[in-house]
Amino acid sequence: MKATGNNIEWNFAASKFKPNGDEIYVVNPKDVSVTKGFPEATHVKKIMNGGESVAYEYLRIDSSTFEYLGNVTTELSFNLVKYNDTQLLLRLPMNVGDKFTDAFEMHKGNTALVQTEYVASGSLLLPFGTFQNVVLIKTTYDYGVVEYKWYQVGEGLRLLMASIDHPDYYYTVVFRNDFGSFASNTDSSKNK
């Protein structure tokens, strides 16, 4: 269990992280040629998968919400997935202890339920720097995945680290800048 409350210090400064191969950037939707299905997007996360394909994740961020709209991948042919009902990633502002539940629909009849909780706030120490005004968000999906995400708040939301607990594996990824992937410290399968 991660620490809860305010003024928490998460210290990963001495952690050894190994490169993970993906390059991730946040780009302006007007600079992406495959945004026709997502006119409401305010941000696009561009994921370069080791040169084999490019994935674009479409986000809408305003003063009160942070939503995931869908994605496009460029493998062999374009594969567009536009959520019928968007996933609410965050409600803003949030205070430690706040939580909400959201049902989102990736495809017609394919609904998932997710609970999001604002767990803690404080500072995050990584091998390449110390970051203040960091919040820890816990997201629990009804299909067994739990995610912890450390965001730096201020003028926008800067994702710094994510810890993913999947039924089959666990890994942690740290990020050098806005959604920019830097390294992964684990890539192991769980023994169940």
Side-chain angles (χ1 to χ4, degrees):
M1 176 65 180
K2 309 287 190 251
T4 61
N6 293 304
N7 301 314
I8 305 296
E9 181 182 275
W10 298 282
N11 190 342
F12 296 91
S15 297
K16 302 281 187 208
F17 292 91
K18 62 182 181 180
N20 70 2
D22 288 352
E23 294 179 45
I24 304 175
Y25 308 93
V26 170
V27 295
N28 189 316
K30 70 178 184 162
D31 296 330
V32 179
S33 61
V34 288
T35 58
K36 292 179 185 168
F38 302 93
E40 66 277 31
T42 60
H43 296 73
V44 178
K45 185 165 56 166
K46 181 179 179 181
I47 305 166
M48 313 278 287
N49 299 320
E52 295 179 18
S53 68
V54 178
Y56 299 93
E57 294 184 355
Y58 294 86
L59 308 167
R60 180 174 51 218
I61 303 173
D62 61 31
S63 61
S64 62
T65 58
F66 179 23
E67 296 176 286
Y68 185 83
L69 307 173
N71 60 72
V72 173
T73 56
T74 62
E75 293 178 301
L76 302 179
S77 63
F78 285 95
N79 180 21
L80 185 143
V81 177
K82 182 167 184 172
Y83 285 17
N84 289 334
D85 180 15
T86 63
Q87 180 184 354
L88 180 60
L89 299 174
L90 289 176
R91 279 192 184 135
L92 306 168
M94 287 182 73
N95 297 304
V96 171
D98 287 356
K99 60 176 78 171
F100 64 88
T101 301
D102 181 47
F104 64 97
E105 189 176 58
M106 291 179 266
H107 305 285
K108 186 94 172 136
N110 184 8
T111 302
L113 194 63
V114 59
Q115 182 180 57
T116 301
E117 180 179 1
Y118 184 158
V119 176
S121 67
S123 58
L124 177 64
L125 286 69
L126 294 173
F128 51 87
T130 298
F131 302 88
Q132 305 299 326
N133 301 319
V134 173
V135 298
L136 173 60
I137 304 295
K138 177 183 178 185
T139 306
T140 306
Y141 294 87
D142 63 353
Y143 46 83
V145 174
V146 178
E147 298 178 348
Y148 288 92
K149 292 186 177 178
W150 286 260
Y151 289 96
Q152 186 177 41
V153 296
E155 292 186 29
L157 294 164
R158 181 179 185 190
L159 182 61
L160 296 170
M161 192 163 90
S163 176
I164 313 299
D165 190 355
H166 186 278
D168 299 323
Y169 54 83
Y170 176 87
Y171 66 91
T172 300
V173 178
V174 299
F175 303 88
R176 272 200 189 272
N177 48 43
D178 294 353
F179 296 97
S181 183
F182 172 58
S184 173
N185 73 348
T186 9
D187 194 11
S188 58
S189 297
K190 287 185 176 179
N191 295 319
K192 288 196 171 191

